[in-house]
Amino acid sequence: MTVYFIGAGPGDPDLITVKGAKLVERCPVILYAGSLVPKAVIERAQPQAKVYDSASMDLDEITQVYTDAHAQGQDVARVQTGDLSIYSSLAEQTRRLNALGIDWQVVPGVSSFQASAAALGQELTLPEQCQTIILSRASGRTPVPDKENLKSLAQHEATLCLFLSATLIRKVVRELSDVYAQNWPVCVVEKASHPEQRIIRGTLADIADKMHAANIRSTAMIIVSKVFAIDDFVDSKLYDPSFTHACRKGKVLDAAMDSVKVATVVEASSHE
Ligand code: SAH
């Protein structure tokens, strides 16, 4: 008997993995986070499956579902939003399962920050301009360690994806304004991949008012990044004709010929 923690993806029921969907189809017990996991994902379950919504349960009640299933020798599909590596309470659940000697596995999912980037049609890393993505949240009722405060994260000028922070947008703007100019780009995606998805593009100067006007208060990803304002980035090395890597030999343009003619680069032999 195993508890399978399955990332359901960001909302579109087609964005669960094939592996996750197959487990939902075959597990006799389903425990899903009803607030964010779409019903269509759960409709894959067998008609006789026991289906529980964890939205109103506490950790003890959730653990009881695992214990009962274990006693019956029944696998559990534990379905949660996005990917389990981010703000999922996976760790506290698996700690209980370890203590009880119950086996578990994790099946990854598409995270909401990825679905938000897809909705925006935006690569979050750009060659030589931004090569790091920080996933974080603003500190509110749930505290964030002081060393991870937004002002210090902003120093890196990396793409900053903020979960669970929609109601804290004014605080986010205040803290980031100590480091960035007011025209620093900020995009917000509400309910990425859902039919009612909404996108707001703005800057530190106006994003809070725009979100307020649109009444966006939850299920929203805030992405703060210069990548939204950069269009003069260089091409990547990956597809650079002169760059050799493990899967492809580079070609160089021969300066003596004209640019139409290309010569294959002979890779240096490694005798030394
Ligand atoms: N494990 C999840 C995150 C859970 S925390 C993941 O990988 O996506 C819940 C937060 O995720 C929300 O407050 C919101 O910031 C974000 N979120 C979840 N689904 C979203 C969606 N469809 N669109 C935008 N943000 C979403």
Side-chain angles (χ1 to χ4, degrees), residues 6 12 17 23 56 69 78 84 88 103 123 126 138 169 175 193 204 211 215 223 245 253 259:
I6 300 163
D12 178 344
T17 64
L23 282 164
S56 60
R78 170 62 166 132
L84 275 301
S88 66
D103 288 340
E123 180 174 354
L126 288 180
I169 186 66
E175 291 179 17
S193 85
L204 277 185
M211 278 179 79
N215 196 25
I223 306 185
H245 58 71
L253 294 179
S259 58

PDB file of all heavy atoms in Angstrom, residues 6 12 17 23 56 69 78 84 88 103 123 126 138 169 175 193 204 211 215 223 245 253 259:
ATOM      1  N   ILE A   6       0.287  13.491  -5.672  1.00  0.00           N
ATOM      2  CA  ILE A   6       0.240  13.788  -7.105  1.00  0.00           C
ATOM      3  C   ILE A   6       0.035  15.283  -7.329  1.00  0.00           C
ATOM      4  O   ILE A   6      -0.933  15.868  -6.820  1.00  0.00           O
ATOM      5  CB  ILE A   6      -0.925  12.994  -7.758  1.00  0.00           C
ATOM      6  CG1 ILE A   6      -0.710  11.489  -7.553  1.00  0.00           C
ATOM      7  CG2 ILE A   6      -1.041  13.342  -9.244  1.00  0.00           C
ATOM      8  CD1 ILE A   6      -1.957  10.658  -7.791  1.00  0.00           C
ATOM      9  N   ASP A  12      -6.061  23.702 -15.337  1.00  0.00           N
ATOM     10  CA  ASP A  12      -6.531  22.987 -16.535  1.00  0.00           C
ATOM     11  C   ASP A  12      -6.395  21.484 -16.283  1.00  0.00           C
ATOM     12  O   ASP A  12      -5.292  20.989 -16.034  1.00  0.00           O
ATOM     13  CB  ASP A  12      -5.659  23.427 -17.729  1.00  0.00           C
ATOM     14  CG  ASP A  12      -6.044  22.708 -19.026  1.00  0.00           C
ATOM     15  OD1 ASP A  12      -6.752  21.680 -18.969  1.00  0.00           O
ATOM     16  OD2 ASP A  12      -5.607  23.165 -20.089  1.00  0.00           O
ATOM     17  N   THR A  17      -0.032  15.164 -15.108  1.00  0.00           N
ATOM     18  CA  THR A  17       0.795  14.264 -15.919  1.00  0.00           C
ATOM     19  C   THR A  17       0.021  12.973 -16.217  1.00  0.00           C
ATOM     20  O   THR A  17      -0.940  12.630 -15.519  1.00  0.00           O
ATOM     21  CB  THR A  17       2.100  13.875 -15.186  1.00  0.00           C
ATOM     22  OG1 THR A  17       1.757  13.131 -14.022  1.00  0.00           O
ATOM     23  CG2 THR A  17       2.931  15.085 -14.810  1.00  0.00           C
ATOM     24  N   LEU A  23      -2.845   7.137 -11.938  1.00  0.00           N
ATOM     25  CA  LEU A  23      -2.986   6.793 -10.522  1.00  0.00           C
ATOM     26  C   LEU A  23      -4.363   7.172  -9.991  1.00  0.00           C
ATOM     27  O   LEU A  23      -4.975   6.432  -9.226  1.00  0.00           O
ATOM     28  CB  LEU A  23      -1.879   7.489  -9.703  1.00  0.00           C
ATOM     29  CG  LEU A  23      -0.514   6.810  -9.803  1.00  0.00           C
ATOM     30  CD1 LEU A  23       0.597   7.730  -9.323  1.00  0.00           C
ATOM     31  CD2 LEU A  23      -0.507   5.505  -9.007  1.00  0.00           C
ATOM     32  N   SER A  56     -11.504  20.998   4.178  1.00  0.00           N
ATOM     33  CA  SER A  56     -11.962  21.336   5.535  1.00  0.00           C
ATOM     34  C   SER A  56     -11.319  20.435   6.605  1.00  0.00           C
ATOM     35  O   SER A  56     -11.725  20.463   7.760  1.00  0.00           O
ATOM     36  CB  SER A  56     -13.488  21.193   5.591  1.00  0.00           C
ATOM     37  OG  SER A  56     -13.815  19.854   5.272  1.00  0.00           O
ATOM     38  N   ALA A  69      -6.778   3.709   5.144  1.00  0.00           N
ATOM     39  CA  ALA A  69      -6.484   3.069   3.855  1.00  0.00           C
ATOM     40  C   ALA A  69      -5.387   2.026   4.022  1.00  0.00           C
ATOM     41  O   ALA A  69      -5.440   0.935   3.438  1.00  0.00           O
ATOM     42  CB  ALA A  69      -6.074   4.127   2.827  1.00  0.00           C
ATOM     43  N   ARG A  78      -3.259  11.123  -3.376  1.00  0.00           N
ATOM     44  CA  ARG A  78      -3.389  12.391  -2.642  1.00  0.00           C
ATOM     45  C   ARG A  78      -3.102  13.502  -3.654  1.00  0.00           C
ATOM     46  O   ARG A  78      -1.945  13.705  -4.072  1.00  0.00           O
ATOM     47  CB  ARG A  78      -2.384  12.405  -1.499  1.00  0.00           C
ATOM     48  CG  ARG A  78      -2.221  13.740  -0.801  1.00  0.00           C
ATOM     49  CD  ARG A  78      -3.504  14.190  -0.165  1.00  0.00           C
ATOM     50  NE  ARG A  78      -3.314  15.277   0.768  1.00  0.00           N
ATOM     51  CZ  ARG A  78      -4.073  16.368   0.766  1.00  0.00           C
ATOM     52  NH1 ARG A  78      -5.020  16.523  -0.148  1.00  0.00           N
ATOM     53  NH2 ARG A  78      -3.887  17.293   1.669  1.00  0.00           N
ATOM     54  N   LEU A  84       4.246  19.471  -5.939  1.00  0.00           N
ATOM     55  CA  LEU A  84       4.347  19.231  -4.499  1.00  0.00           C
ATOM     56  C   LEU A  84       5.597  19.835  -3.861  1.00  0.00           C
ATOM     57  O   LEU A  84       5.728  19.833  -2.642  1.00  0.00           O
ATOM     58  CB  LEU A  84       4.350  17.722  -4.235  1.00  0.00           C
ATOM     59  CG  LEU A  84       3.015  16.990  -4.116  1.00  0.00           C
ATOM     60  CD1 LEU A  84       2.181  17.589  -2.987  1.00  0.00           C
ATOM     61  CD2 LEU A  84       2.217  16.979  -5.382  1.00  0.00           C
ATOM     62  N   SER A  88       3.204  23.044  -0.314  1.00  0.00           N
ATOM     63  CA  SER A  88       2.221  21.970  -0.475  1.00  0.00           C
ATOM     64  C   SER A  88       1.897  21.239   0.826  1.00  0.00           C
ATOM     65  O   SER A  88       1.026  20.370   0.819  1.00  0.00           O
ATOM     66  CB  SER A  88       2.753  20.951  -1.474  1.00  0.00           C
ATOM     67  OG  SER A  88       3.901  20.329  -0.916  1.00  0.00           O
ATOM     68  N   ASP A 103       4.252   3.642   3.322  1.00  0.00           N
ATOM     69  CA  ASP A 103       5.037   4.019   2.132  1.00  0.00           C
ATOM     70  C   ASP A 103       4.371   5.170   1.381  1.00  0.00           C
ATOM     71  O   ASP A 103       3.144   5.246   1.329  1.00  0.00           O
ATOM     72  CB  ASP A 103       5.157   2.834   1.163  1.00  0.00           C
ATOM     73  CG  ASP A 103       6.086   1.764   1.703  1.00  0.00           C
ATOM     74  OD1 ASP A 103       6.896   2.074   2.595  1.00  0.00           O
ATOM     75  OD2 ASP A 103       5.968   0.613   1.236  1.00  0.00           O
ATOM     76  N   GLU A 123       9.569  33.640 -21.541  1.00  0.00           N
ATOM     77  CA  GLU A 123      10.679  32.898 -20.950  1.00  0.00           C
ATOM     78  C   GLU A 123      11.158  33.701 -19.742  1.00  0.00           C
ATOM     79  O   GLU A 123      11.355  34.923 -19.853  1.00  0.00           O
ATOM     80  CB  GLU A 123      11.810  32.733 -21.976  1.00  0.00           C
ATOM     81  CG  GLU A 123      12.995  31.970 -21.428  1.00  0.00           C
ATOM     82  CD  GLU A 123      14.067  31.663 -22.488  1.00  0.00           C
ATOM     83  OE1 GLU A 123      13.841  31.951 -23.681  1.00  0.00           O
ATOM     84  OE2 GLU A 123      15.124  31.145 -22.094  1.00  0.00           O
ATOM     85  N   LEU A 126      16.620  35.043 -19.609  1.00  0.00           N
ATOM     86  CA  LEU A 126      17.053  35.523 -20.921  1.00  0.00           C
ATOM     87  C   LEU A 126      18.571  35.505 -20.966  1.00  0.00           C
ATOM     88  O   LEU A 126      19.226  35.893 -19.980  1.00  0.00           O
ATOM     89  CB  LEU A 126      16.545  36.947 -21.181  1.00  0.00           C
ATOM     90  CG  LEU A 126      15.042  37.096 -21.452  1.00  0.00           C
ATOM     91  CD1 LEU A 126      14.684  38.567 -21.688  1.00  0.00           C
ATOM     92  CD2 LEU A 126      14.597  36.253 -22.644  1.00  0.00           C
ATOM     93  N   ALA A 138       5.495  36.789  -0.022  1.00  0.00           N
ATOM     94  CA  ALA A 138       5.634  37.902   0.922  1.00  0.00           C
ATOM     95  C   ALA A 138       5.298  37.384   2.313  1.00  0.00           C
ATOM     96  O   ALA A 138       4.529  36.446   2.473  1.00  0.00           O
ATOM     97  CB  ALA A 138       4.680  39.025   0.526  1.00  0.00           C
ATOM     98  N   ILE A 169       0.008  42.831  -1.879  1.00  0.00           N
ATOM     99  CA  ILE A 169       0.687  43.494  -2.993  1.00  0.00           C
ATOM    100  C   ILE A 169       1.249  44.872  -2.599  1.00  0.00           C
ATOM    101  O   ILE A 169       2.347  45.241  -3.029  1.00  0.00           O
ATOM    102  CB  ILE A 169      -0.223  43.573  -4.258  1.00  0.00           C
ATOM    103  CG1 ILE A 169       0.554  44.132  -5.463  1.00  0.00           C
ATOM    104  CG2 ILE A 169      -1.484  44.366  -4.005  1.00  0.00           C
ATOM    105  CD1 ILE A 169       1.662  43.272  -5.968  1.00  0.00           C
ATOM    106  N   GLU A 175       8.314  47.175  -0.346  1.00  0.00           N
ATOM    107  CA  GLU A 175       9.636  46.595  -0.071  1.00  0.00           C
ATOM    108  C   GLU A 175      10.524  46.590  -1.316  1.00  0.00           C
ATOM    109  O   GLU A 175      11.714  46.890  -1.250  1.00  0.00           O
ATOM    110  CB  GLU A 175       9.478  45.182   0.502  1.00  0.00           C
ATOM    111  CG  GLU A 175       8.882  45.242   1.892  1.00  0.00           C
ATOM    112  CD  GLU A 175       8.675  43.880   2.536  1.00  0.00           C
ATOM    113  OE1 GLU A 175       9.264  42.887   2.075  1.00  0.00           O
ATOM    114  OE2 GLU A 175       7.903  43.825   3.510  1.00  0.00           O
ATOM    115  N   SER A 193      -4.277  29.137 -16.555  1.00  0.00           N
ATOM    116  CA  SER A 193      -4.744  27.899 -17.212  1.00  0.00           C
ATOM    117  C   SER A 193      -6.210  27.567 -16.942  1.00  0.00           C
ATOM    118  O   SER A 193      -6.738  26.610 -17.508  1.00  0.00           O
ATOM    119  CB  SER A 193      -3.858  26.685 -16.875  1.00  0.00           C
ATOM    120  OG  SER A 193      -4.251  26.061 -15.658  1.00  0.00           O
ATOM    121  N   LEU A 204       5.979  48.544 -10.901  1.00  0.00           N
ATOM    122  CA  LEU A 204       5.865  48.746  -9.451  1.00  0.00           C
ATOM    123  C   LEU A 204       4.956  49.939  -9.151  1.00  0.00           C
ATOM    124  O   LEU A 204       4.248  49.951  -8.153  1.00  0.00           O
ATOM    125  CB  LEU A 204       7.249  49.014  -8.845  1.00  0.00           C
ATOM    126  CG  LEU A 204       8.123  47.811  -8.514  1.00  0.00           C
ATOM    127  CD1 LEU A 204       9.391  48.289  -7.822  1.00  0.00           C
ATOM    128  CD2 LEU A 204       7.378  46.801  -7.647  1.00  0.00           C
ATOM    129  N   MET A 211      -4.362  45.738  -9.681  1.00  0.00           N
ATOM    130  CA  MET A 211      -4.889  44.513  -9.048  1.00  0.00           C
ATOM    131  C   MET A 211      -6.123  44.827  -8.218  1.00  0.00           C
ATOM    132  O   MET A 211      -7.089  44.066  -8.207  1.00  0.00           O
ATOM    133  CB  MET A 211      -3.825  43.872  -8.145  1.00  0.00           C
ATOM    134  CG  MET A 211      -2.835  43.022  -8.891  1.00  0.00           C
ATOM    135  SD  MET A 211      -1.612  42.330  -7.773  1.00  0.00           S
ATOM    136  CE  MET A 211      -2.504  40.954  -7.046  1.00  0.00           C
ATOM    137  N   ASN A 215      -9.928  43.562  -8.595  1.00  0.00           N
ATOM    138  CA  ASN A 215     -10.342  42.752  -7.441  1.00  0.00           C
ATOM    139  C   ASN A 215      -9.668  41.371  -7.439  1.00  0.00           C
ATOM    140  O   ASN A 215     -10.314  40.348  -7.228  1.00  0.00           O
ATOM    141  CB  ASN A 215     -11.872  42.618  -7.420  1.00  0.00           C
ATOM    142  CG  ASN A 215     -12.355  42.134  -6.059  1.00  0.00           C
ATOM    143  OD1 ASN A 215     -11.674  42.349  -5.054  1.00  0.00           O
ATOM    144  ND2 ASN A 215     -13.491  41.463  -6.041  1.00  0.00           N
ATOM    145  N   ILE A 223       4.687  38.104 -10.825  1.00  0.00           N
ATOM    146  CA  ILE A 223       6.042  37.896 -11.361  1.00  0.00           C
ATOM    147  C   ILE A 223       6.689  39.260 -11.575  1.00  0.00           C
ATOM    148  O   ILE A 223       6.197  40.090 -12.344  1.00  0.00           O
ATOM    149  CB  ILE A 223       6.036  37.079 -12.664  1.00  0.00           C
ATOM    150  CG1 ILE A 223       5.280  35.758 -12.453  1.00  0.00           C
ATOM    151  CG2 ILE A 223       7.468  36.812 -13.125  1.00  0.00           C
ATOM    152  CD1 ILE A 223       5.302  34.812 -13.636  1.00  0.00           C
ATOM    153  N   HIS A 245      28.243  21.736 -28.763  1.00  0.00           N
ATOM    154  CA  HIS A 245      27.920  21.118 -27.474  1.00  0.00           C
ATOM    155  C   HIS A 245      27.656  19.634 -27.694  1.00  0.00           C
ATOM    156  O   HIS A 245      27.807  19.122 -28.809  1.00  0.00           O
ATOM    157  CB  HIS A 245      26.753  21.836 -26.776  1.00  0.00           C
ATOM    158  CG  HIS A 245      25.476  21.887 -27.562  1.00  0.00           C
ATOM    159  ND1 HIS A 245      24.694  20.800 -27.794  1.00  0.00           N
ATOM    160  CD2 HIS A 245      24.860  22.939 -28.168  1.00  0.00           C
ATOM    161  CE1 HIS A 245      23.633  21.161 -28.487  1.00  0.00           C
ATOM    162  NE2 HIS A 245      23.715  22.461 -28.741  1.00  0.00           N
ATOM    163  N   LEU A 253      31.317  30.874 -39.508  1.00  0.00           N
ATOM    164  CA  LEU A 253      31.253  31.627 -40.755  1.00  0.00           C
ATOM    165  C   LEU A 253      32.682  31.960 -41.157  1.00  0.00           C
ATOM    166  O   LEU A 253      33.469  32.468 -40.378  1.00  0.00           O
ATOM    167  CB  LEU A 253      30.453  32.914 -40.542  1.00  0.00           C
ATOM    168  CG  LEU A 253      28.969  32.683 -40.233  1.00  0.00           C
ATOM    169  CD1 LEU A 253      28.277  34.018 -40.008  1.00  0.00           C
ATOM    170  CD2 LEU A 253      28.285  31.934 -41.366  1.00  0.00           C
ATOM    171  N   SER A 259      29.194  35.289 -46.412  1.00  0.00           N
ATOM    172  CA  SER A 259      28.495  34.673 -45.279  1.00  0.00           C
ATOM    173  C   SER A 259      27.668  33.443 -45.647  1.00  0.00           C
ATOM    174  O   SER A 259      27.184  32.735 -44.775  1.00  0.00           O
ATOM    175  CB  SER A 259      27.610  35.710 -44.608  1.00  0.00           C
ATOM    176  OG  SER A 259      26.713  36.207 -45.577  1.00  0.00           O
TER     177      SER A 259
END
